Amino acid sequence: EVVLTQSPGTLSLSPGERATLSCRASQSVSSRYLAWYQQRPGQTPRLLIYGTSSRATGIPGRFSGSGSGTDFTLTISRLEPEDFAVYYCQQYNRSPPTFGQGTKVEIK
Amino acid sequence: QVQLVQSGAEVKKPGASVKVSCKVSGNILSEMSIHWVRQAPGKGLEWMGGFDPEDGETFSAQRFQGRVTMTEDTSTDTAYMELSSLRSEDTAVYYCATGGGSYYSPFDFWGRGTLVTVSS
């Protein structure tokens, strides 16, 4: 199974700052099959990015994804108050689909 | 627009089984790949299993094999996940999710989750 390791575990930032989240895979993942989800407290996960860099419907442009092979990045260009949440990467290239353990973006 | 409506919260004793339902609207269940994901309190997302409509097979995570059963009733467009031999560590919110017709898709749509509490 593909193990995804996210870093850092927690990111403490202020509104307006840039957030950079990392997701590293234990083996190569096709860029077509890497997604990012956001989960706000008490809410269901929401798809943000799929295919490494494509934004899902309704996702604002401040969210962007990049990467290839085993290293992927989610960037939030300027944090809004509603962006403080937990973010998960997921690979769906090989079964079983797997998630990273999550990165919490908290208000500094 | 696809919607997934899950059954309500359950409280079960250790050793019992629980069956969670996920009713699909906005698409035909038999053409969709439904996955099940759980989240223990304060923990991350854990994939449990999913259905591949292209070959009609159901796959489950190794750690749940022998304990999880995923079924579908296409007459009511409802998917089910049954987990047996429950233990306290199975206390979690259980989600159904789908990316549409392909097993290898991101999960665009999620149910609201079903809280299963395992307690004596």
Side-chain angles (χ1 to χ4, degrees), chain B residues 64-81:
Chain B
F64 297 109
Q65 285 178 7
R67 282 212 300 147
V68 68
T69 304
M70 288 164 284
T71 56
E72 298 187 345
D73 181 346
T74 54
S75 68
T76 61
D77 283 325
T78 303
Y80 298 91
M81 186 283 299

Side-chain angles (χ1 to χ4, degrees), chain A residues 44-85:
Chain A
T44 295
R46 175 174 73 145
L47 177 66
L48 291 178
I49 300 284
Y50 63 94
T52 295
S53 59
S54 297
R55 280 188 298 277
T57 303
I59 302 303
R62 62 181 181 275
F63 290 93
S64 63
S66 63
S68 65
T70 60
D71 289 294
F72 298 88
T73 301
L74 174 69
T75 301
I76 311 171
S77 58
R78 288 179 56 86
L79 284 164
E80 298 287 342
E82 62 269 27
D83 299 337
F84 291 92

Side-chain angles (χ1 to χ4, degrees), chain A residues 33 35 37 39 43-47 50 88 90 92-101, chain B residues 35 37 39 43-47 59-61 95 103-108 110-113:
Chain A
Y33 298 99
Y37 298 84
Q39 188 175 33
Q43 294 190 17
T44 295
R46 175 174 73 145
L47 177 66
Y50 63 94
Y88 296 94
Q90 180 209 26
Y92 46 100
N93 190 176
R94 295 185 180 83
S95 191
T98 49
F99 293 93
Q101 82 278 20
Chain B
H35 295 261
V37 176
Q39 186 170 37
K43 302 297 184 183
L45 303 173
E46 180 177 30
W47 182 82
F59 300 92
S60 60
Y95 295 101
Y103 180 83
Y104 296 98
S105 286
F107 301 162
D108 294 86
W110 295 68
R112 289 196 161 195

Side-chain angles (χ1 to χ4, degrees), chain B residues 6-7 10 12 17-23 34-39 46-51 58-61 64 67-73 78-84 86 90 92-97 113-116:
Chain B
Q6 296 188 226
S7 49
E10 303 259 16
K12 295 291 182 181
S17 297
V18 68
K19 192 170 186 177
V20 178
S21 68
C22 173
K23 182 168 176 57
I34 298 292
H35 295 261
W36 293 89
V37 176
R38 79 176 187 180
Q39 186 170 37
E46 180 177 30
W47 182 82
M48 298 181 68
F51 175 72
T58 298
F59 300 92
S60 60
F64 297 109
R67 282 212 300 147
V68 68
T69 304
M70 288 164 284
T71 56
E72 298 187 345
D73 181 346
T78 303
Y80 298 91
M81 186 283 299
E82 184 170 20
L83 188 63
S84 62
L86 290 169
D90 293 318
V93 176
Y94 290 77
Y95 295 101
C96 57
T114 296
L115 174 63
V116 175

